[in-house]
Amino acid sequence: MAFSADELRVLRRALAIALHPAPLPDEDVQDCLRLAGTLDEAVGEAGRLRAFLLADLARYRNALPGSLSGYLERLQDALAAGYDPRPEDLAALRALRGGPVAAALLERCQVLAERSVRARLAGRAVSASAPAPRSRLLALPGGRAAEPDKPKAPAAPARPATPSERPAPKPSEVFPPRRRPAPPPQQRAAG
């Protein structure tokens, strides 16, 4: 995730205020709320992208053995992004283990699946003390709540809620088509 210069400025101010609480001007509060909204939107887009990639992986897995190279490539990408292999992936790799790439991926996936199961089992023991997932930013320390004697200015009229300012990108826009390597030039025999 990359931040713009303005977002970094807002983030730096918010962190400074978190360390040294002080009353915030309304402009700073609005900047922090906008940044929180932008972060929530980025997390949502990352979730949608992950769902798309996992659905793409499932489509390639269902089309095996005809989609062998595409499936192995997408599985490697998913593993690099933190994907925990499912039993369907392990079964598909066992059926394809005749190839060196599939055999290496099978070994890697078995190790990752074992770690995942162990982590889930260990997580059940400590799930009562696990922190709740991040929720929306509702208040800032030292923000508006710290200034009870200041008269409130009339609020600007609220814009009607829109689903999103930007339309969601199409998969073809996010993932351009892959180019096939050109075959090596054939040499003609003189004769």
Side-chain angles (χ1 to χ4, degrees), residues 33 50 68 80 82-83 132 152 169 187:
L33 291 174
R50 180 175 170 82
L68 175 65
Y83 172 70
K152 294 186 177 185
Q187 296 197 1

Side-chain angles (χ1 to χ4, degrees), residues 68-84:
L68 175 65
S69 63
Y71 171 70
L72 295 176
E73 191 175 313
R74 278 161 183 75
L75 181 59
Q76 287 175 335
D77 291 345
L79 291 173
Y83 172 70
D84 285 331

Side-chain angles (χ1 to χ4, degrees), residues 1-93:
M1 180 180 298
F3 292 103
S4 71
D6 287 336
E7 290 170 334
L8 284 175
R9 179 184 50 80
V10 170
L11 186 59
R12 185 175 302 171
R13 274 197 331 241
L15 290 173
I17 290 168
L19 292 173
H20 306 286
L24 283 176
D26 283 344
E27 178 185 323
D28 289 347
V29 172
Q30 291 301 319
D31 287 344
C32 289
L33 291 174
R34 269 193 300 277
L35 179 60
T38 303
L39 289 174
D40 287 340
E41 183 180 326
V43 167
E45 286 182 21
R48 285 191 295 275
L49 177 61
R50 180 175 170 82
F52 171 78
L53 292 175
L54 293 179
D56 199 30
L57 179 65
R59 278 192 299 274
Y60 273 80
R61 183 177 49 238
N62 293 336
L64 285 172
S67 63
L68 175 65
S69 63
Y71 171 70
L72 295 176
E73 191 175 313
R74 278 161 183 75
L75 181 59
Q76 287 175 335
D77 291 345
L79 291 173
Y83 172 70
D84 285 331
R86 298 181 149 190
E88 303 90 36
D89 295 312
L90 294 172
L93 288 172

Side-chain angles (χ1 to χ4, degrees), residues 66-140:
S67 63
L68 175 65
S69 63
Y71 171 70
L72 295 176
E73 191 175 313
R74 278 161 183 75
L75 181 59
Q76 287 175 335
D77 291 345
L79 291 173
Y83 172 70
D84 285 331
R86 298 181 149 190
E88 303 90 36
D89 295 312
L90 294 172
L93 288 172
R94 283 186 191 107
L96 301 169
R97 68 177 159 214
V101 175
L105 268 175
L106 175 60
E107 287 179 33
R108 181 176 173 199
C109 286
Q110 285 174 332
V111 169
L112 290 174
E114 184 177 329
R115 280 187 202 155
S116 176
V117 168
R118 287 177 192 236
R120 275 186 264 145
L121 290 175
R124 287 184 185 166
V126 295
S127 63
S129 65
R134 184 172 112 59
S135 61
R136 299 239 348 127
L137 179 65
L138 299 177
L140 295 171

